[in-house]
Amino acid sequence: MAKSFKHLRDKMPLDSQAAASNKAKALMAEMPLSELRLARKLSQAQLAEKMHVNQAAISKMERRTDMYVSTLREAIKAMGGELEIQAKFPDGSVSITQFHDIRGNSGS
Amino acid sequence: MAKSFKHLRDKMPLDSQAAASNKAKALMAEMPLSELRLARKLSQAQLAEKMHVNQAAISKMERRTDMYVSTLREAIKAMGGELEIQAKFPDGSVSITQFHDIRGNSGS
């Protein structure tokens, strides 16, 4: 039975495996909200409907270089995703949880 | 030469290796900004000085459940870190780049 791949992986040092994993993470797609919307196959009008705003508001949002975390969370949620905010340090990453469930709390 | 660990790893299916990697990622620390500040060994007064605001502003910021992305970025930068905003979908994650270099652009 062919086992050349297993053999190769077996010979790969652990730190190289970690480096390969980090490289994969570094290659994660990076894009602004407008490109993300297109990647999710949504028009501005469709996203506007999901966010209960008009198309002009989406157009304006996509040109912003700053916005409230809650607005960003709503936009990503409307595209079917989940917002995660990370603080990256040389010695590790931390997920910031301060802004979770904003709408969930304010509605009740 | 002992090679029991390598032998075990060699026998580990690729999907189990991926699951272990995902579990490690899921175990990333999660905390609000106040805890992150303490983890970075900074007092409110020290962070205030780094952000060129007063201590009351830090206290207020740490009690907020919503804020501008730029404020969050400045706070994390002042703690020596870098803000990363991710949109997580069942089929992968995307890093949102729309809010980068806000201060860098506005200053010049």
Side-chain angles (χ1 to χ4, degrees):
Chain A
M1 193 188 286
K3 55 175 206 171
S4 56
F5 180 67
K6 273 196 176 186
H7 185 67
L8 278 173
R9 197 157 41 75
D10 184 51
K11 285 192 177 295
M12 195 173 174
L14 273 179
D15 55 351
S16 295
Q17 291 183 31
S21 170
N22 285 337
K23 194 168 182 183
K25 274 181 237 167
L27 291 173
M28 181 171 63
E30 296 189 349
M31 58 186 83
L33 286 174
S34 57
E35 278 182 35
L36 178 60
R37 173 177 54 73
L38 292 171
R40 304 307 296 177
K41 302 192 194 308
L42 289 167
S43 66
Q44 284 191 340
Q46 286 170 319
L47 183 59
E49 198 183 330
K50 286 173 185 284
M51 290 185 72
H52 310 291
V53 297
N54 60 36
Q55 185 176 340
I58 300 295
S59 173
K60 196 175 167 186
M61 179 184 77
E62 292 182 348
R63 281 181 279 117
R64 280 192 200 158
T65 54
D66 200 6
M67 66 179 66
Y68 273 105
V69 170
S70 58
T71 307
L72 183 57
R73 184 181 302 281
E74 287 300 306
I76 290 171
K77 197 174 167 186
M79 294 186 219
E82 200 183 321
L83 174 67
E84 180 162 325
I85 294 169
Q86 289 183 17
K88 291 178 172 283
F89 297 90
D91 51 343
S93 292
V94 169
S95 178
I96 307 293
T97 52
Q98 185 158 346
F99 316 107
H100 284 184
D101 301 316
I102 295 164
R103 295 293 173 105
N105 292 335
S106 64
S108 56
Chain B
M1 193 188 289
K3 55 175 207 172
S4 57
F5 179 69
K6 273 194 173 186
H7 185 67
L8 279 172
R9 198 157 41 75
D10 185 52
K11 284 191 177 298
M12 194 173 176
L14 274 179
D15 54 352
S16 296
Q17 291 183 28
S21 170
N22 285 337
K23 195 168 180 183
K25 274 181 240 167
L27 291 174
M28 182 171 64
E30 296 188 349
M31 57 186 84
L33 286 174
S34 56
E35 279 182 35
L36 178 60
R37 173 178 52 74
L38 291 173
R40 303 309 293 179
K41 303 195 193 306
L42 289 167
S43 66
Q44 284 190 340
Q46 286 171 319
L47 183 59
E49 197 183 329
K50 284 172 186 286
M51 292 185 72
H52 308 292
V53 297
N54 59 35
Q55 186 176 338
I58 300 296
S59 173
K60 195 175 167 186
M61 179 186 78
E62 291 183 347
R63 282 180 277 117
R64 280 192 200 156
T65 54
D66 200 7
M67 65 179 66
Y68 273 105
V69 170
S70 58
T71 307
L72 183 56
R73 184 180 304 279
E74 287 298 308
I76 290 170
K77 196 174 168 186
M79 293 187 221
E82 201 183 322
L83 174 69
E84 180 162 325
I85 294 169
Q86 289 183 16
K88 290 176 173 284
F89 297 91
D91 52 343
S93 293
V94 169
S95 177
I96 307 294
T97 53
Q98 185 159 348
F99 315 108
H100 284 184
D101 300 319
I102 295 164
R103 294 291 173 108
N105 290 335
S106 65
S108 58

